[in-house]
Amino acid sequence: MAHRWTNDLTHDDVTPKSAYLNRRQVMAGMAGLGLAALAPKARAAADLTPTDFDVITQYNNFYEFGTGKDDPAKHAHRLTTKPWSIKIDGMVDRPGDYALEDILSQMTIEERIYRFRCVEAWSMVVPWNGFELKDLLDLAGVQSSAKYVAFETLYRPKEMIGQNSPFLDWPYVEGLRLDEANHPLTLMATGIYGKDMPKQNGAPIRLVVPWKYGFKSIKSIVRITLTDKEPPTSWNKSIPGEYGFYSNVNPEVDHPRWSQASERPIGGGFFAKRIPTLMFNGYEQEVASLYEGMDLRKNY
Ligand code: MTE
């Protein structure tokens, strides 16, 4: 279904085959390889070597557990993730509380190896497991009046100890335009490296939008609302002069306080070479048409 978008090497291509890969995932890997051979790349394929599991799970932004990069790994164990459900409401035919196990029983989990670029100018390569957001939206039946999708993270200050400080206006919220949400690259991720999603990475289920800065990829989602109005987003509410709604990775539009032209791959050591940042984080071919006619400098 979506394998055509996996124009990256998969985990399987760069590491020995692991037992967890099912047949469909292996096929995804082969499709990915085929496309990768055809697609010219600005950066070498080596930059799609997955970042180590330990790095992905110990250097995090999850402000519900504190503001330090190591706080989520220290504190996220408090989070209860079972039972878990997602309320899907707004402009849908079948609104309701969808139990996560019921959702998962209707989805096929694939592996997607994506570049992940934080607005703070660091990056990783993450082998996610998940399913396309579009498949979940189809379950709920999106009505034709809907134009945007709003997302909300759990609010549970007893477990998410960072929510006891007013660092952000909790709960964390994010949003996408409906066509962005329906794009085959847009993933609801339930794991990394074939393991259940670690709590610090947004257990049990989070969004991954690989062509946008990492803060759009909202974690531990409990509510999805279809709406006809552009939804508020946490970082735009907090610092509107620095963060907009779109937040597409763009090496030509600097953050007001730093350059976005290059990035620091995490895990390569302190002296690791910075690498050039790619337009739309390397997914320009797939997503540029979503923004035709828009001023990408203004719609940051
Ligand atoms: N989602 C929630 N609920 N809370 C957060 O603080 N941080 C965002 C995003 N999703 C965040 C969130 C930011 S700034 C980034 S860069 C990524 O999660 C980090 O994801 P990672 O820790 O899995 O690398």
Side-chain angles (χ1 to χ4, degrees), residues 126-143:
V126 185
W128 302 106
N129 308 99
F131 55 88
E132 291 180 15
L133 172 60
K134 180 182 190 311
D135 292 340
L136 179 58
L137 297 180
D138 286 348
L139 267 192
V142 176
Q143 297 177 345

Side-chain angles (χ1 to χ4, degrees), residues 56 59-66 69 72 116-120 122 124 126 128 152-154 160 167-168 170-174 197 200-202 206-207 213-221 235:
I56 295 173
Y59 186 97
N60 299 100
N61 280 337
F62 200 169
Y63 295 104
E64 284 87 336
F65 295 104
K69 298 288 185 244
F116 190 83
R117 169 62 156 83
C118 178
V119 76
E120 297 164 337
W122 53 261
M124 297 187 189
V126 185
W128 302 106
E152 197 175 300
T153 294
L154 179 70
M160 300 178 122
F167 181 73
L168 285 173
W170 312 110
Y172 195 99
V173 291
E174 256 306 335
M197 187 65 74
Q200 58 267 41
N201 292 89
R206 69 173 294 174
L207 186 69
Y213 290 118
F215 65 85
K216 298 291 292 182
S217 292
I218 181 172
K219 297 177 169 182
S220 305
I221 294 170
W235 284 100

Side-chain angles (χ1 to χ4, degrees), residues 219-258:
K219 297 177 169 182
S220 305
I221 294 170
V222 290
R223 186 173 182 188
I224 297 178
T225 307
L226 278 291
T227 162
D228 57 1
K229 299 198 175 53
E230 188 181 286
T233 63
S234 280
W235 284 100
N236 176 255
K237 282 199 290 182
S238 174
I239 321 180
E242 298 190 0
Y243 304 108
F245 177 76
Y246 283 93
S247 313
N248 293 317
V249 175
N250 188 339
E252 288 163 22
V253 178
D254 287 342
H255 186 279
R257 290 183 280 131
W258 58 83

Side-chain angles (χ1 to χ4, degrees), residues 11-12 15-21:
H11 175 224
D12 204 33
T15 54
K17 188 170 291 161
S18 317
Y20 69 82
L21 285 177

